[in-house]
Amino acid sequence: MFRAALANLPGRALPALAATVLWKKDKEKDRPKTSRSWRKEVHPYYNLSVTVVRARNIHGVDLLSEADCYVQLRLPTASPVPYKTKVIYNSTDPEWNETFHYRIHGAVKNILELTLYDRDLMLDDKLSSVVFDVGSIRPGKSTRRVFKLNPKDKEVLEVEFHVEESKDPPSEIITNGVLVVHPCVCIEGRIKLDENQENGNHLLKMSVPGSYEKQICPLSKQSQTEELGKFVFHADKEMSPQLDVCLLKTLRVAQNDLAPELDKQTIFLGKGSVPLSLLPKGQGIDIDLPLSKNYKVNMNMTRKDESAQKLDIRLGFDLSDGEKDFLKKRKERIAQSLKDALDLKTTPDEVPVVAVLGSGGGARAMTSFYGSLQGLQDLKLLDSITYLSGVSGSTWCMSTLYEDPEWSSKGLKEAISRAQKSVTSSKSGAFSAERLKYCSQELMAMERDGYKVNFSDLWGLVLEYFLHQKENPAKLSDQQISVCKGQNPYPIYAGVNVRVNISGGDFAEWCEFTPHEVGFRKYGAFIRTEDFGSEFFMGHLIRRRKEPKICFLQGMWGSAFAANLDEIWARASGTGIRWLNSLTDVIRVLDDCRKLHFRDPSRLQTRLVMPGGIVSNIFQDFFKSRFTAGELYNFTRGLYLYKDYVGVREFVAWKGNHLDAFPNLLTPMEENLYLVDGGFSINSPFPLVLQSERDVDVILSFNYSWQAPFEVLELTSRYCKERGIPFPSITVTEADEKQPKECYVFMDADNPRVPIVLHFPLVNDSFHAHKAPGVSRETDEEKAFGDFLLHGKDSPFRTKNFTYESNDFTRLVEVNRYNVLNNEEMIKSALKMALDRRKHKRTHRGSKIRK
């Protein structure tokens, strides 16, 4: 299913999978580390020549005639447009002997895609794709490769490669070990046609291939909000960009009242180009550009080179300055809390880092999280918590709490009372005429501001009513005041970036949202929270937009309806649409890196992709569409993958069918982000707190999932094993799976780097018989209150139920509160052990320094 989905990405050939690496993936200490921040590096340029020689024994799609073949070459790190050979008609053994030239940069992962097509009148048929890591070619030598397309039919594609070091001087780049920043060139200008040319209905189309702006019609009166005649382009300076200008004229040719658009005909008048590298820097210059014998265009243009070192995104894997400042202040409070709650004397530098995680589960998760936090507060341990992180419904609880800058120092009863009012109230007002009018106005305002409005935005407005019954103007960056003194745990909200036609279980990139920054630790790329929703290109802010209200983020964090049909089917039946696998593409390794390139673990294997056919494409596009995902501007767009990115812990490029091994398809090469509920990957935000930079010692995992009490642990364990992240072994008995207890402890006594995990399934275990730890229920009323089922088809706590009876809300809060109180000793023992580990590590480190 995953492979077929990859093949359906529009206009893309499927790239190679990663080379087998030399390190052991299950030993974190053996994995290469990235730099914590960006660094400067100098790398040479290379000239790459690719000669498409011939193909043999090619069978086209049409059974009545031979194939009409051509080859498309795509190298997006060196050319913004693909190249094509000529078409050889009606031949099973086409010969081209055509050579194509590229200038490639030594710091970038350069992956060439060679796609063989059969020419058709309507839509050309893709026969197969070969994806080749050109970094495997030794400079100064020619290499001829014969790619076996179909061994059964002896289909082959023969290509010759030659690489030599360029005479251009090496250039300095910025990299964090995963991403590479090239210098960006910005062209600003104004155009004006001659007076004798203005009397017609002229249409001027301008474009810079590979630029952020794509195509502009500066003389069109429908040119959005831009001033008439002005244009701006941002492009990669390394691509030798050029401005292409095309002049058209629209004529009225007939009168057609039924179809007025048929009245007009567009005539091509001429075109011209301006190499942007020839323009002087920083000064305006007038250019008369001939477009044809009778037409020219006058332009005044100014070139500005954006510095690669003055970026509007933060490249690096370290914590943000805001989070670092918070930690200094929070440690003081944690030290005092441990003294008050556990009678332990410690210094701020020795305090353990504790993270509390809330899983997804809609209103059930939101209500339950209030109860769990109430339990921690009753134990006087809430001030011992460093991080508070959530997925889906837990984020609704968090984002509401943090509207009060002092929430954790107050009793939670008032906040729980407000939540009870919203959960138990009728939701019909969300669909009243007045409210729907408000929603329409909000969405239209977002659209006018340039946002990509979608279903998750509407869902966010529905949630705004569910949680507040009125407009809530709060923004995520407002929560900076809630952590400025270290007075509350640091909030980390979770979302995942997915692909519209790939299951979240197969590919999902964790995106963290904090009061200070939003970003992908996988790529080491972050932007200010205030700039989320704005447009970026090559690390520079292109167009700033106002920060969205937090309700729109809540809709994205808890996008319960963003599942694609395959995921819904799989969860309902346990199988998914697996019969589609018979139609999927065939992917095969064409070489073995372990034999050919055993000294280069960064090199990617060459792969062959055989399309599954048009029937496969139709069905997969339908079942895989994720039309409700939150579509947003990609702030990593225009950045490139570093040549050795496959060696970084966050990537799973060694795994044969993982998208991480396809650099041309990874997020920096995409126009948009598709952010959804983190529950479509792991229904708890473990990946966000397990980053080594946060150095978490203890994790309190509160699982509010509908059944599957240990699934998040199993998925997290797999996630960590693939990336070499320390995580305890998860062993659960069959009896525990069927009847889980209130709390489980998972740890590695021999490895202090492995965090201690306390996992709390959502259960009514001893609560039904005890109103408090050690205090039995006596009256009939007390027994009736504790006698209820959390799961089952008749449960009021089903995931898509957003309205509870008052008694059910109170029960859900109290059972989660009780489960924390009833495991007080287990929690405190974990904190003491983590403190001892911290002290031991500090003492051991100090003795090493003294030696």
Side-chain angles (χ1 to χ4, degrees), residues 15-63:
L17 299 183
T20 303
V21 296
L22 300 181
W23 54 84
K24 297 179 181 179
K25 62 181 180 293
D26 58 340
K27 290 187 177 181
E28 188 272 338
K29 66 179 181 180
D30 294 330
R31 297 296 299 267
K33 304 293 193 302
T34 59
S35 169
R36 295 301 93 195
S37 59
W38 61 264
R39 61 186 183 268
K40 299 178 184 178
E41 291 184 358
V42 176
H43 291 264
Y45 295 99
Y46 295 91
N47 294 325
L48 168 68
S49 299
V50 182
T51 301
V52 182
V53 182
R54 62 177 66 87
R56 290 287 183 264
N57 305 309
I58 302 302
H59 300 282
V61 175
D62 191 349
L63 300 178

Side-chain angles (χ1 to χ4, degrees), residues 465-511:
Y465 184 87
F466 284 4
L467 300 177
H468 299 278
Q469 286 77 51
K470 61 181 181 180
E471 180 181 3
N472 177 29
K475 301 185 294 293
L476 179 55
S477 63
D478 296 341
Q479 295 181 14
Q480 292 176 15
I481 195 173
S482 298
V483 295
C484 63
K485 299 178 292 186
Q487 70 269 40
N488 300 302
Y490 196 74
I492 307 174
Y493 302 89
V496 292
N497 180 48
V498 296
R499 295 301 164 85
V500 294
N501 53 2
I502 300 176
S503 166
D506 288 323
F507 180 79
E509 298 175 324
W510 286 84
C511 182

Side-chain angles (χ1 to χ4, degrees), residues 125 197 219 228 280 340 342 443 496 524 601 605 656 668 741 763 794 836 851:
D125 298 306
Q197 298 173 358
L219 294 180
L228 195 66
D340 295 342
L342 282 73
L443 296 176
V496 292
Q605 291 175 317
K741 303 182 185 69
V763 297
D794 296 325
D836 290 341
K851 289 179 182 179

Side-chain angles (χ1 to χ4, degrees), residues 52-124:
V52 182
V53 182
R54 62 177 66 87
R56 290 287 183 264
N57 305 309
I58 302 302
H59 300 282
V61 175
D62 191 349
L63 300 178
L64 300 179
S65 64
E66 305 294 346
D68 303 324
C69 289
Y70 68 91
V71 176
Q72 176 182 277
L73 299 85
R74 183 173 177 270
L75 184 56
T77 52
S79 173
V81 294
Y83 297 150
K84 293 181 181 180
T85 67
K86 60 181 178 290
V87 180
I88 304 297
Y89 291 95
N90 200 31
S91 174
T92 59
D93 302 313
E95 292 196 20
W96 294 279
N97 289 308
E98 291 186 56
T99 301
F100 303 88
H101 302 280
Y102 300 92
R103 189 184 74 156
I104 59 177
H105 198 274
V108 174
K109 195 66 172 173
N110 295 292
I111 302 296
L112 175 66
E113 302 170 14
L114 299 157
T115 305
L116 182 66
Y117 283 94
D118 183 3
R119 182 70 178 270
D120 200 347
L121 292 176
M122 300 296 294
L123 181 66
D124 293 351

